[in-house]
Amino acid sequence: QVQLVESGGGSVQAGGSLRLSCTASRYTYCMGWFRQAPGKEREEVATISYSTYYADSVKGRFTISRDNAKNTMYLQMNSLKPEDTAMYYCAAGSGYGGFCQRFDYWGQGTQVTVSS
């Protein structure tokens, strides 16, 4: 089992920045951020193993990183837009060859609200 604890959500005006953190109880090959807005499907935002992946909607604005010594992952979100408003979930899972295959563990979520 892996426990995940997120922090760093909040409210910000458009154009602002937030940094999300997620600390895991142990190392996992893959970690990622997902988000879900009311009435919408869950969306994969960014993932990290030995490589990184970004959704097109956040490329150039968000940066995912991890500190394996602390089992902690970060999501630096810049130039935030109202459409980034959602509940953001941290996830951990497995993969190989630099690719993430599945996410088995999920955090409780942290709300990000961007006002225009």
Side-chain angles (χ1 to χ4, degrees):
Q1 279 288 351
V2 179
Q3 283 74 49
L4 300 169
V5 179
E6 301 120 328
S7 63
S11 297
V12 66
Q13 289 192 325
S17 299
L18 285 172
R19 189 174 86 151
L20 306 183
S21 299
C22 173
T23 299
S25 56
R26 63 171 175 84
Y27 172 83
T28 59
Y29 187 85
C30 285
M31 295 188 78
W33 291 99
F34 294 74
R35 68 187 181 186
Q36 188 166 22
K40 293 190 176 182
E41 299 274 322
R42 186 176 65 193
E43 174 188 19
E44 187 175 49
V45 176
T47 64
I48 186 166
S49 56
Y50 289 107
S51 60
T52 57
Y53 159 83
Y54 295 94
D56 286 343
S57 58
V58 306
K59 278 181 183 175
R61 301 187 298 120
F62 291 10
T63 303
I64 190 171
S65 61
R66 66 189 296 178
D67 182 340
N68 290 334
K70 297 180 180 179
N71 291 331
T72 299
M73 172 182 63
Y74 306 95
L75 185 69
Q76 178 66 43
M77 305 185 293
N78 297 329
S79 302
L80 282 161
K81 304 176 180 179
E83 50 263 44
D84 294 318
T85 295
M87 185 70 77
Y88 283 69
Y89 296 92
C90 167
S94 57
Y96 70 94
F99 296 96
C100 294
Q101 286 189 305
R102 56 183 291 168
F103 289 91
D104 298 309
Y105 307 101
W106 295 84
Q108 294 297 310
T110 185
Q111 178 68 36
V112 171
T113 302
V114 184
S115 58
S116 57

